[in-house]
Amino acid sequence: MASFRLVFLLLLCFCSAAFAELITSYCSDNTTIASAQMSANIDVVLRQLAKNTAKNDGFSIATYGQGKDTVYGLGQCRKDINSSACSTCIHDAASYIRQSCYYENNGTDERIYYDNCLLRYSDQKFFGIFDPSVVMNFYSSIKPRDQDFFRVQLETLMNFVISFAVMPQNKGFMKGSTAVSSSVDIYGIAQCTQDLSTSSCQTCLKTGFANFDKLCRKQKTVGCRVQYGGCYLRYDTDPF
Ligand SMILES: *[C@@H]1O[C@H](CO)[C@@H](O)[C@H](O)[C@H]1NC(C)=O
Ligand SMILES: *[C@@H]1O[C@H](CO)[C@@H](O)[C@H](O)[C@H]1NC(C)=O
Ligand SMILES: *[C@@H]1O[C@H](CO)[C@@H](O)[C@H](O)[C@H]1NC(C)=O
């Protein structure tokens, strides 16, 4: 189911420049929005996130509704973009997130990822929790020239960005780059959602990195993203 969505959205990306930086979305396929009240609550949460995320230094959470119709939402921007780029991205995400799951099942756990931001809502309180069960990955099909050296440099870079991202002053974000040849660099980024504690952030990023062999074609590819609900890792030989 998840892989079907990736294909579907990638096609959409090519069709519409407006979604050029949309990476993917996830729609839970085992629960469905059961009531009109919950559906209305989702809209309230999305409006709050759209209004507050950029203003609040690129991160906000929102909770709305009562009992089984309660909805929890989170919006976050990439830490190194400015407030207006953050606002644009979150508004795009908020207006598209429901549509992206509409044709599937109107599930109750929806996540949407852009280059510059992510947005999520659920009927379960997910704040502060790293859930390793849902992971999405993308990788380039291009192989680096010197695979062994690439792997060594990539490992150094990822260890660097992860260890700096989890320092409290960095608020779960770090990027960096390193050379893989005289003319090629690899760029790397690690970011956690800010609801995670330092230790959950570290667990999320380390879990992602530990799964690179599985999720990034044994690291024999020039670019890859690994995306959990609570964090993501990305590297590429093209700057991003
Ligand atoms: C739906 O699936 C998720 C992930 O597999 C699981 O954690 C959750 O408990 C499931 N929910 C229901 C209602 O079955
Ligand atoms: C914010 O960043 C975007 C994209 O890099 C840039 O085009 C824009 O000029 C910046 N805006 C401000 C106010 O700095
Ligand atoms: C999702 O919900 C909308 C509005 O309630 C409905 O029109 C649409 O058919 C639903 N999609 C699916 C796949 O059931």
Side-chain angles (χ1 to χ4, degrees):
M1 199 56 125
S3 57
F4 166 75
R5 291 221 52 84
L6 300 192
V7 173
F8 172 68
L9 285 162
L10 285 173
L11 286 175
L12 264 187
C13 284
F14 292 127
C15 297
S16 167
F19 301 123
E21 39 156 278
L22 173 62
I23 307 163
T24 187
S25 72
Y26 164 81
C27 306
S28 60
D29 49 20
N30 61 359
T31 53
T32 300
I33 297 165
S35 69
Q37 185 60 57
M38 181 184 283
S39 182
N41 292 348
I42 291 170
D43 287 337
V44 172
V45 162
L46 292 177
R47 275 199 298 276
Q48 289 179 356
L49 296 174
K51 185 162 147 265
N52 295 331
T53 302
K55 273 200 301 205
N56 189 33
D57 204 19
F59 172 75
S60 69
I61 56 173
T63 303
Y64 193 80
Q66 288 181 336
K68 64 178 175 27
D69 293 324
T70 306
V71 174
Y72 305 86
L74 180 153
Q76 181 165 313
C77 289
R78 193 174 136 160
K79 196 88 197 139
D80 57 348
I81 64 166
N82 64 37
S83 172
S84 71
C86 175
S87 177
T88 302
C89 186
I90 291 287
H91 276 92
D92 284 353
S95 58
Y96 188 61
I97 187 169
R98 297 202 66 173
Q99 192 186 333
S100 80
C101 293
Y102 181 94
Y103 297 104
E104 194 151 329
N105 59 350
N106 291 312
T108 52
D109 177 5
E110 320 297 4
R111 310 171 193 187
I112 192 164
Y113 300 101
Y114 290 72
D115 274 344
N116 282 347
C117 70
L118 59 90
L119 195 66
R120 176 177 181 190
Y121 66 80
S122 176
D123 64 343
Q124 304 294 316
K125 190 173 183 183
F126 61 86
F127 305 147
I129 298 167
F130 162 50
D131 168 15
S133 70
V134 177
V135 59
M136 283 173 288
N137 61 314
F138 293 90
Y139 47 77
S140 160
S141 56
I142 301 169
K143 291 185 174 183
R145 210 162 266 218
D146 180 346
Q147 290 180 358
D148 292 337
F149 187 61
F150 186 88
R151 194 186 160 102
V152 169
Q153 293 301 82
L154 179 62
E155 188 152 323
T156 304
L157 176 62
M158 283 297 145
N159 278 323
F160 167 81
V161 293
I162 291 170
S163 59
F164 277 78
V166 299
M167 292 176 177
Q169 68 270 29
N170 292 325
K171 294 191 172 174
F173 176 82
M174 186 47 66
K175 63 180 176 179
S177 67
T178 192
V180 285
S181 75
S182 58
S183 58
V184 178
D185 291 337
I186 337 175
Y187 301 83
I189 202 166
Q191 186 169 17
C192 292
T193 55
Q194 281 183 45
D195 57 316
L196 292 194
S197 65
T198 299
S199 74
S200 297
C201 172
Q202 182 154 359
T203 305
C204 186
L205 293 172
K206 288 198 162 169
T207 303
F209 189 40
N211 283 306
F212 258 29
D213 268 358
K214 192 172 71 186
L215 299 171
C216 298
R217 278 207 165 165
K218 298 194 186 303
Q219 306 178 39
K220 289 177 177 165
T221 172
V222 298
C224 184
R225 297 173 198 244
V226 170
Q227 185 94 50
Y228 291 94
C231 73
Y232 71 91
L233 290 165
R234 178 180 178 191
Y235 72 85
D236 209 301
T237 52
D238 285 331
F240 54 88

